[in-house]
Amino acid sequence: MSVLTATGADRAATPAIDLGPAVALSCRECGERFGLAPIFACASCFGPLEIAYDLPSGDPEALRRRIEAGPASIWRYAPLLPVPADVADKPNLNPGWTKLVKADRLAAELGVTGGLYVKDDSGNPTHSFKDRVVANAVEAARAFGFTTLSCSSTGNLAGAVGAAAARAGLRSCVFIPHDLEQGKVVMAAVYGGDVVGIQGTYDDVNRFCSELIGDPAGEGWGFVNVNLRPYYAEGSKTLAYEICEQLGWRLPDQLVVPIASGSQLTKIDKGLKELIATGLVEEKPYKIFGAQAAGCSPVSQAYKAGHDVVRPVRPDTIAKSLAIGNPADGPYVLDIARRTGGAVEDVTDEQIVDAIHLLARTEGVFAETAGGVTVGVTRKLIESGALDPSLTTVVLNTGDGLKTLDAVDSTARPSAIIRPNLDAFREAGLAS
């Protein structure tokens, strides 16, 4: 069986694989269904596959109580994820349930009156949202009997895979662009797995991984964002679940989400729709805005040009965690932004750095460059009138600023260097 696409034989009854409410893989383009397997593309139309569920039905209040009584991690939402019911009892990193920061001081700076929140995912075990998606992929890897966990990564995912594999007792081997930020390289390597630098961009790394999957050398390997992608991607839904639960089981009016492959944004939208379908939240309109760096903005460019096709670009930005020049979910991001009344915008590297400082000095949250992108885009959207400042808005920070220190190294320096006496302190103008 190909681990890339489903074949005719795969369309038989699903084997006895326990992934909770997940019942099949469904093509996002043509709707054809396949059994649960380590595949990600439809054999009929080559469209992407995603998880189809038998979601809980009945009393929404009982489901809310069940969730609220669950662990302070993404596993409180196990009834809505492709994981076994006993997932919380297995050795894993238990990511999620991160802070939703009510950002009143940032709101005042930006002119937001309707309530501004920052979903700060820097509090995850390896300090980025990638822990959420990898945790789901690990359960799929276990179910399919893989012994090596792997990925193509712009940095954060490599660290998340290394840590999750170590905790689960699996071997890890991750592939990254050779010029990645050193801090992310260290974080990926410290867990004892293999870290391989590829000469080229992330898109070159991803192509190599696709070749390795089809080679005997890749036998027994679970690539979290390739052959395990349908399961992996579902972890991003938990951001939507947590945001709504932390808002008192309410949908936000507006969300600003960073775009790398685009998967996070599409799965947040899927998560919101599932919350509505299960009755956990009351249905109302919401808008989703996508955020990119100007140096890697293929989706933003397509949105502004009114195109449905995303033209690949060669990345050139400090926001390396978002530097995917050919985003797989780009067309679906365009659909969601337009369907919900949102937009896709981009900001320059200079604006990213400025936004990192703005969030840090107003809310005490040190974001990595991707967080600078979302805050910077939020400001730009407000200034252009695309984002309504009178509505409840949630901005995502997906990683810790300690991972991208180089971005602010030249702008975050000591205020003064003085002699150790009060006169020197006063001469430096620091006394108030």
Side-chain angles (χ1 to χ4, degrees), residues 94-309:
N94 300 319
W97 203 242
T98 55
K99 294 179 181 178
L100 183 68
V101 179
K102 193 169 189 301
D104 292 339
R105 296 190 69 233
L106 178 62
E109 289 265 357
L110 299 180
V112 175
T113 58
L116 180 64
Y117 297 83
V118 175
K119 182 56 172 171
D120 183 15
D121 243 25
S122 66
N124 276 309
T126 69
H127 308 286
S128 90
F129 92 95
K130 292 294 187 181
D131 291 318
R132 298 174 181 271
V133 288
V134 171
N136 280 260
V138 166
E139 294 312 308
R142 284 177 169 142
F144 299 129
F146 289 128
T147 56
T148 297
L149 207 63
S150 187
C151 70
S152 53
S153 175
T154 58
N156 285 328
L157 181 56
V161 166
R167 177 71 177 132
L170 299 172
R171 180 202 173 203
S172 68
C173 181
V174 300
F175 299 89
I176 58 175
H178 71 286
D179 60 350
L180 203 60
E181 301 101 329
Q182 185 59 25
K184 289 181 179 176
V185 176
V186 171
M187 190 162 197
V190 74
Y191 299 107
D194 292 312
V195 179
V196 181
I198 300 290
Q199 294 177 350
T201 67
Y202 170 81
D203 298 290
D204 297 316
V205 177
N206 203 38
R207 280 192 294 271
F208 169 80
C209 289
S210 295
E211 291 178 16
L212 181 56
I213 289 174
D215 188 272
E219 185 71 24
W221 288 40
F223 285 80
V224 300
N225 54 345
V226 189
N227 59 348
L228 295 177
R229 187 176 184 84
Y231 312 91
Y232 156 92
E234 294 293 283
S236 287
K237 297 190 310 181
T238 60
L239 282 161
Y241 300 158
E242 286 181 21
I243 288 168
C244 291
E245 183 178 355
Q246 289 168 328
L247 287 175
W249 294 108
R250 293 185 299 111
L251 291 168
D253 298 313
Q254 303 171 133
L255 298 99
V256 184
V257 183
I259 299 171
S261 70
S263 174
Q264 182 185 74
L265 187 148
T266 63
K267 294 306 178 183
I268 286 175
D269 179 62
K270 184 181 181 185
L272 296 176
K273 290 192 290 185
E274 287 175 352
L275 290 175
I276 293 169
T278 54
L280 288 169
V281 300
E282 183 177 344
E283 183 173 8
K284 71 170 186 177
Y286 59 85
K287 297 180 179 182
I288 299 183
F289 297 86
Q292 291 200 291
C296 185
S297 55
V299 186
S300 176
Q301 291 174 29
Y303 175 83
K304 293 174 183 178
H307 296 162
D308 295 324
V309 176

Side-chain angles (χ1 to χ4, degrees), residues 351-367:
Q351 290 170 319
I352 293 169
V353 172
D354 186 55
I356 291 172
H357 282 283
L358 174 63
L359 179 60
R361 69 176 172 79
T362 56
E363 300 299 340
V365 175
F366 184 18

Side-chain angles (χ1 to χ4, degrees), residues 360-424:
R361 69 176 172 79
T362 56
E363 300 299 340
V365 175
F366 184 18
E368 73 161 357
T369 48
V373 169
T374 52
V375 173
V377 163
T378 300
R379 176 160 56 183
K380 193 171 181 179
L381 290 169
I382 291 170
E383 291 171 350
S384 69
L387 190 147
D388 188 342
S390 69
L391 299 178
T392 302
T393 303
V394 177
V395 178
L396 270 63
N397 171 45
T398 52
D400 195 318
L402 292 174
K403 294 189 173 198
T404 54
L405 289 173
D406 289 352
V408 293
D409 181 63
S410 63
T411 56
R413 295 289 186 174
S415 301
I417 297 176
I418 65 172
R419 300 181 306 279
N421 59 65
L422 289 173
D423 288 340

